[in-house]
Amino acid sequence: MYDVIIIGGGPAGISAGLYAFRAGMKTLIIENGHGALKKAHLIQNYYGQTLSGVALYEQGLEQARALGIEILHDEVVGAEWLLTFNVQVASREEALTAKSLVLATGTQQASVNIPGLKAYEGKGVSYCAVCDGFFFREKNVAVLGNGAYALHEANYLKNLANVTILTNGEELESALPTITQKIVGLRGDNSLQAIDFADGSSINVAGLFVAFGSAGSSSFALKLGAVQEGPHIKVDEHASTNVPGLFAAGDCTGGLLQVAKAVHEGAEAGLAAVKFVKAKN
């Protein structure tokens, strides 16, 4: 049992971890790569630093390790709130548990351009199996994705519906029915009814759950019941969401998408998590 689990090892996540750990909290940071910082060839607008985004990311991880913070390099595929926060990662069967959770994975990086996908959002296309799976019980549904996140969503849905995984041209090992053909479009009248593939075949489905790439902060926020404003998580001035013990910081909250803002919000989130855990204890 951790006091604080932080998902994301960028400026917001590391900042939250530093403040939480220094306040005596048992802290875990789960990180899965450089994210948006990988695209920053040179950072010159952050106090005291002139370096690449990748270098800044690695320096942050090293600073946290040197302090003694536990860091896990893994992909988070699920999160639940059952009095405590349960976090599932790709490499472990058992969930990691914490009294508080900080979402700091930045914005969703992976996207897929499929004709009709946007048109059927809310009409059969969903981005949250936990949120919407119940509405498709005993129906034919598909999960779009080719990694651990897609497998996690499909395994959840298989207890409710008849599930097929669609990889859109990629390979994936799965015990569930899997189609690797490229998707050329979605069809239906008032709601999704069928998905067409490049080889001329099609399948009839009532729902398509998008789990492409890795899950981001917004995906976890949806599953945990946090209020969002568009694609961003709604937080107060202390990085708190509407869910007790759940905090968010960095690009996932919108606004100024800069390192300085991420570090500030991470500090707020870390301190707010400390206050929450102490009150709970």
Side-chain angles (χ1 to χ4, degrees):
M1 169 68 74
Y2 293 92
D3 292 314
V4 185
I5 288 180
I6 299 158
I7 305 177
I14 293 296
S15 180
L18 294 175
Y19 278 86
F21 185 82
R22 285 169 59 88
M25 299 289 104
K26 186 178 181 183
T27 304
L28 172 67
I29 296 175
I30 307 174
E31 61 87 26
N32 192 33
H34 306 107
L37 281 178
K38 190 174 183 179
K39 300 178 181 179
H41 173 68
L42 187 64
I43 296 173
Q44 294 179 313
N45 60 349
Y46 183 58
Y47 178 76
Q49 299 283 352
T50 301
L51 73 177
S52 70
V54 171
L56 181 65
Y57 186 91
E58 295 298 335
Q59 283 189 13
L61 290 179
E62 184 54 37
Q63 181 181 1
R65 287 193 188 98
L67 191 62
I69 300 174
E70 184 178 350
I71 297 175
L72 174 63
H73 178 74
D74 209 332
E75 179 183 349
V76 178
V77 296
E80 296 178 309
W81 182 41
L82 301 170
L83 298 181
T84 59
F85 292 92
N86 297 332
V87 178
Q88 293 89 37
V89 296
S91 67
R92 305 184 184 193
E93 291 188 6
E94 292 185 0
L96 301 164
T97 60
K99 299 171 185 175
S100 65
L101 181 65
V102 178
L103 303 177
T105 64
T107 54
Q108 191 75 23
Q109 298 297 314
S111 62
V112 59
N113 184 21
I114 294 176
L117 192 65
K118 289 289 183 182
Y120 289 103
E121 287 180 354
K123 301 176 183 178
V125 171
S126 172
Y127 295 84
C128 181
V130 172
C131 309
D132 299 329
F134 177 81
F135 301 113
F136 297 90
R137 58 196 185 280
E138 298 183 2
K139 296 181 180 179
N140 294 328
V141 302
V143 173
L144 174 60
N146 52 39
Y149 180 41
L151 289 173
H152 179 270
E153 296 293 87
N155 282 323
Y156 174 83
L157 288 166
K158 73 180 182 182
N159 299 313
L160 297 171
N162 304 312
V163 182
T164 301
I165 299 176
L166 311 180
T167 68
N168 197 36
E170 302 294 332
E171 295 298 323
L172 178 68
E173 291 186 8
S174 172
L176 293 171
T178 303
I179 297 175
T180 59
Q181 282 287 325
K182 278 275 190 180
I183 301 171
V184 296
L186 279 60
R187 289 187 287 113
D189 295 328
N190 296 322
S191 61
L192 178 64
Q193 294 174 312
I195 299 173
D196 299 323
F197 302 98
D199 65 352
S201 64
S202 64
I203 59 170
N204 296 322
V205 295
L208 175 64
F209 291 83
V210 180
F212 193 77
S214 300
S217 291
S218 293
S219 300
F220 300 131
L222 273 173
K223 299 175 191 299
L224 294 166
V227 173
Q228 298 195 62
E229 294 179 328
H232 301 121
I233 304 170
K234 185 177 181 180
V235 295
D236 64 14
E237 65 273 19
H238 300 301
S240 301
T241 72
N242 62 298
V243 178
L246 179 65
F247 310 91
D251 289 0
C252 65
T253 65
L256 188 66
L257 305 182
Q258 296 291 308
V259 173
K261 180 255 193 187
V263 170
H264 163 73
E265 282 194 348
E268 289 283 4
L271 291 171
V274 169
K275 184 177 181 181
F276 174 82
V277 172
K278 286 184 175 180
K280 187 173 184 178
N281 289 344

